[in-house]
């Protein structure tokens, strides 16, 4: 399996200056693991932490004022690191959560109140493959009631085989990592 590279320690400042309100539409936070432990059985472990302060510093460096933090698999369905980063952003960040199959309505509402506006589903083989269809359908219906969209992580070659499922979704969707 391919392990993601660590964040660049000293990124260069691009010549391009983003417009006011520019948004990083897909980023992650990792740890720090002593505060936000990684999930047991995770498919990979980040080579080094990339906590909220590092993400905020990168955004300032690049001139980005808003962001969407997408929950990555090392933390599993424990969205605490992402929610902490959203809370520290002063309203500049929103989130995309990995939603536990046993989450109750209060838990979903807490994610919403914390700034989450979408549920992410991994269909990527090296991250476990497609979710259980009953869980997927049930969760899509539940997040629809909150006005959320869904974010779908596919291997590019598998998207076509899922066309019927995509066309039937009752909510807007984003196919991530396809920018």
């Amino acid at each position: 399996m391919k392990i993601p590279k660590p964040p660049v320690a000293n990124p260069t400042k691009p010549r391009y200056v983003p417009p006011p309100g520019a948004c990083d539409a897909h980023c992650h936070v990792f740890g720090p693991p002593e505060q936000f432990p990684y999930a047991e059985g995770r498919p990979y472990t980040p080579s080094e932490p990339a906590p909220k302060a590092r993400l905020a510093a990168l955004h300032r460096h690049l001139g980005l004022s808003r962001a969407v933090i997408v929950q990555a698999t090392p933390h599993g369905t424990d969205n605490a690191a992402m929610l902490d980063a959203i809370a520290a952003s002063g309203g500049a960040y929103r989130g995309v959560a990995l939603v536990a199959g046993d989450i109750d309505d209060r838990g979903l509402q807490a994610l919403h109140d914390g700034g989450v506006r979408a549920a992410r589903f991994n269909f990527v083989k090296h991250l476990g493959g497609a979710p259980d269809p009953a869980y997927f359908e049930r969760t899509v219906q539940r997040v629809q009631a909150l006005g959320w969209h869904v974010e779908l992580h596919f291997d590019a070659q598998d998207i076509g085989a899922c066309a019927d499922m995509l066309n039937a979704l009752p909510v807007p969707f984003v196919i991530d990592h396809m920018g």
Side-chain angles (χ1 to χ4, degrees):
M1 177 208 322
K2 183 178 176 185
I3 303 292
K5 292 180 180 180
V8 175
N10 296 300
T12 58
K13 184 119 178 142
R15 284 183 282 207
Y16 171 78
V17 176
C23 182
D24 179 345
H26 186 115
C27 54
H28 304 292
V29 290
F30 297 109
E34 54 280 352
Q35 182 180 3
F36 301 108
Y38 298 127
E40 292 294 322
R42 62 194 170 275
Y44 70 92
T45 300
S47 56
E48 63 181 81
K52 66 183 178 191
R54 191 169 186 178
L55 180 63
L58 177 64
H59 286 151
R60 283 190 304 276
H61 179 74
L62 297 174
L64 301 171
S65 58
R66 300 178 304 129
V68 178
I69 302 175
V70 178
Q71 179 75 351
T73 55
H75 284 292
T77 58
D78 180 352
N79 295 283
M82 177 190 60
L83 290 168
D84 183 60
I86 293 169
S89 77
Y93 293 172
R94 291 287 184 246
V96 176
L98 287 175
V99 178
D102 61 352
I103 195 168
D104 61 17
D105 290 341
R106 279 193 326 228
L108 277 176
Q109 188 62 51
L111 289 172
H112 186 83
D113 293 346
V116 171
R117 295 299 182 267
R120 185 183 201 205
F121 299 93
N122 284 313
F123 289 79
V124 175
K125 289 177 181 59
H126 74 268
L127 296 175
D132 172 73
Y135 155 77
F136 177 74
E137 188 174 315
R138 180 179 63 250
T139 304
V140 168
Q141 295 299 321
R142 292 179 72 206
V143 303
Q144 180 182 23
L146 292 168
W148 292 9
H149 67 280
V150 294
E151 187 153 323
L152 309 169
H153 189 187
F154 286 106
D155 286 317
Q157 68 272 14
D158 297 332
I159 295 172
C162 295
D164 290 342
M165 183 262 306
L166 295 172
N167 288 326
L169 281 172
V171 296
F173 63 91
V174 171
I175 299 176
D176 70 7
H177 291 261
M178 295 291 168

